[in-house]
Amino acid sequence: MDKILIEGGEPLRGRVRISGAKNAALPAVAACLLCGEKHVLRGIPGLRDIRTIQEIMSGMGAEFQSGNNGLTVDTSNLRDGEAPYDLVRTMRASILLLGPLLARLGRARISLPGGCAIGARPVNLHLKALVSMGADLHLDRGYIHARADRLRGAPVFFDIPTVTGTENIMMAAVLAEGRTVLKNAAREPEVSDLADALRGMGARIEGDGTDTILIDGVRDLHATTHTVIPDRIEAGTFMIATAMTGGDVVIEGCRGEHLSAVVQKLQSVGAELVPVKEGMHVRGPGQHRSVDIKTMPFPGFPTDLQAQFMALMSVADGSSIIKETVFENRFIHVSELKRMGAEIEINGNQALVRGRAGLLPAPVMATDLRASASLILAGLVALDGVTEVRRIYHLDRGYENLETKFQGLGARIWREKA
Ligand code: UD1
């Protein structure tokens, strides 16, 4: 298994280009199922999760071709709507295939995603909404079997604003009969990006970016060309890393409006962040002030940057409280950060981080995607030795060439193949 090694101590300097967003690319690829033509998607990052969704869709008859012009997705020969357990268990977002398959084929068979490292993560809200649109669902041997002649538009209220739930139902609704109104919908930029992609196919959607989305079903859609938004979590990871190492980096493609909660918190830490033509110019402070954060749905502080921010707070002056409100059990990185000398106490969904002057290099284990990034950031400031981050396959699910990008900014970081 590959591992990443880091010799900390170098402030990051230079320019880095942000890749297309994983969480916008996955629904965009799934949306191609809605219309049996050749679609072109641009900005799709080279990540394991993207290869997984392609593999599942290839099994259904979809064809993919990557070229200079982008990724061509041809779903004209779709024959089947099955997503097998062996692939779904590696990526929960496979549930995104359910809405479009039901809308296009009137049937789907998707393995129920299992639990994962960051809590139970159920999909009950996706299923409840599809039932209210007339789908017939039942569970058999770990698979969701879904059928519908033609889905009907319906009012849907999400008890919790769920990102992939909102996306799934939006895709189901674009070909349904009549109007669907999503209330308490997720407002994340990736939801709006999917709405843009669907409108490019001829869908009628309004209100994305707010908590109420209206979708008027249409009979047919057509092929589209769509470019996904830059990855705000990757951009936020570089922002935090630059602040943490006292660096000076221009993050190209970073959209400040997608990261305003993070920008404000980093300013309170003492970093300077200035929007520039290419993206965001970040200058880290010599000393870091501690600040509290609470993760929230967009536009609040993103849960996908909580672990990275905790690494930063581990080397800040004073104590900070980090409260996780989106997922249960999303503190599994804490025990690994502690192995590097971080002083963190967990109490329920709250972590008390007592900042210290520096961290110590150590062999550590990545436990999930964002936890891996936080350990790499910790490694960038750990002095006198080499930090070794194992189980790096988690990182490859969601960050494109992370170590190469850090190398380009002057970090001493490299990958060793097992
Ligand atoms: C998406 C992102 C993930 C991010 C998360 C929160 C993708 C592919 N992944 O995940 O990176 O961390 O949003 O910003 O876009 N819930 C239910 N029932 C449901 C659905 C969700 O109870 O049917 C709960 C979850 O357990 C969680 C909360 O709702 O507590 C929010 O989860 P959700 O927004 O659905 O996360 P994902 O869409 O899986």
Side-chain angles (χ1 to χ4, degrees):
M1 236 175 274
D2 290 6
K3 54 189 178 185
I4 283 185
L5 297 115
I6 312 143
E7 241 179 79
E10 291 299 322
L12 301 178
R13 286 188 199 289
R15 291 175 168 267
V16 63
R17 172 140 282 281
I18 297 308
S19 301
K22 166 179 91 70
N23 289 352
L26 289 169
V29 173
C32 295
L33 289 168
L34 285 163
C35 156
E37 293 185 26
K38 253 189 203 172
H39 307 273
V40 178
L41 299 177
R42 302 205 172 113
I44 301 294
L47 299 172
R48 198 158 66 92
D49 274 7
I50 303 293
R51 288 193 289 278
T52 303
I53 199 162
Q54 288 186 207
E55 199 177 332
I56 300 175
M57 284 171 56
S58 299
M60 301 173 178
E63 287 166 34
F64 295 89
Q65 215 170 5
S66 329
N68 291 342
N69 197 28
L71 177 71
T72 305
V73 188
D74 183 351
T75 61
S76 50
N77 293 318
L78 205 64
R79 48 174 188 266
D80 181 24
E82 172 160 339
Y85 175 66
D86 276 346
L87 293 170
V88 173
R89 75 185 167 82
T90 67
M91 187 187 68
R92 293 180 40 81
S94 319
I95 192 70
L96 280 170
L97 300 168
L98 181 57
L101 283 173
L102 253 187
R104 161 101 180 268
L105 295 178
R107 61 180 197 280
R109 194 168 166 264
I110 311 252
S111 168
L112 195 63
C116 70
I118 60 173
R121 294 186 87 173
V123 291
N124 57 314
L125 302 175
H126 303 229
L127 305 186
K128 193 174 137 205
L130 288 171
V131 168
S132 70
M133 296 174 74
D136 177 22
L137 302 183
H138 74 275
L139 200 69
D140 184 31
R141 282 169 247 203
Y143 278 76
I144 303 164
H145 295 252
R147 280 197 168 270
D149 287 339
R150 187 178 176 205
L151 292 166
R152 291 185 309 272
V156 171
F157 178 85
F158 290 111
D159 295 337
I160 305 172
T162 155
V163 177
T164 49
T166 303
E167 293 164 348
N168 220 349
I169 305 311
M170 209 158 75
M171 290 189 278
V174 290
L175 287 175
E177 191 181 338
R179 172 171 280 197
T180 301
V181 181
L182 306 182
K183 291 245 162 102
N184 201 24
R187 298 160 60 189
E188 269 66 4
E190 293 77 15
V191 172
S192 298
D193 195 53
L194 173 64
D196 280 341
L198 293 170
R199 278 189 287 261
M201 294 173 147
R204 292 173 57 201
I205 304 173
E206 281 172 34
D208 47 289
T210 76
D211 62 3
T212 304
I213 304 180
L214 307 180
I215 305 132
D216 284 307
V218 296
R219 267 278 166 201
D220 294 301
L221 296 169
H222 52 75
T224 193
T225 295
H226 177 72
T227 304
V228 299
I229 52 173
D231 197 308
R232 65 192 165 100
I233 304 303
E234 188 197 3
T237 302
F238 279 104
M239 276 161 52
I240 296 171
T242 305
M244 206 164 160
T245 60
D248 185 336
V249 174
V250 174
I251 303 175
E252 296 178 0
C254 170
R255 296 199 189 162
E257 71 275 20
H258 291 171
L259 282 158
S260 43
V262 182
V263 167
Q264 267 186 29
K265 287 295 175 184
L266 287 174
Q267 283 166 338
S268 305
V269 167
E272 265 179 60
L273 294 102
V274 181
V276 290
K277 189 166 49 60
E278 312 91 300
M280 185 73 74
H281 187 175
V282 186
R283 264 192 289 250
Q287 290 212 305
H288 306 93
R289 289 191 289 269
S290 58
V291 293
D292 299 342
I293 61 160
K294 179 173 160 189
T295 64
M296 298 281 277
F298 189 83
F301 194 98
T303 175
D304 286 349
L305 287 171
Q306 179 256 105
Q308 299 87 319
F309 202 84
M310 188 181 285
L312 168 60
M313 286 301 96
S314 309
V315 292
D317 291 335
S319 300
S320 70
I321 291 176
I322 295 187
K323 196 165 177 179
E324 173 61 57
T325 76
V326 178
F327 288 115
E328 52 181 295
N329 200 15
R330 204 175 196 179
F331 284 142
I332 30 180
H333 44 282
V334 168
S335 50
E336 298 299 303
L337 285 174
K338 280 166 110 167
R339 301 189 64 244
M340 299 179 70
E343 291 178 31
I344 307 168
E345 265 170 54
I346 300 177
N347 188 356
N349 69 343
Q350 240 171 247
L352 169 67
V353 187
R354 290 199 181 83
R356 46 174 287 158
L359 293 172
L360 311 165
V364 285
M365 199 96 89
T367 43
D368 79 8
L369 169 53
R370 306 306 171 184
S372 329
S374 98
L375 296 173
I376 289 181
L377 300 201
L380 290 175
V381 296
L383 301 177
D384 302 326
V386 176
T387 294
E388 193 177 301
V389 185
R390 299 181 189 171
R391 294 213 181 146
I392 218 63
Y393 56 87
H394 290 290
L395 194 77
D396 296 335
R397 283 191 41 218
Y399 286 94
E400 193 176 46
N401 307 325
L402 190 67
E403 76 275 14
T404 323
K405 289 187 181 184
F406 275 131
Q407 279 165 5
L409 296 173
R412 285 192 298 264
I413 177 170
W414 65 100
R415 180 183 290 245
E416 272 182 13
K417 297 267 176 207

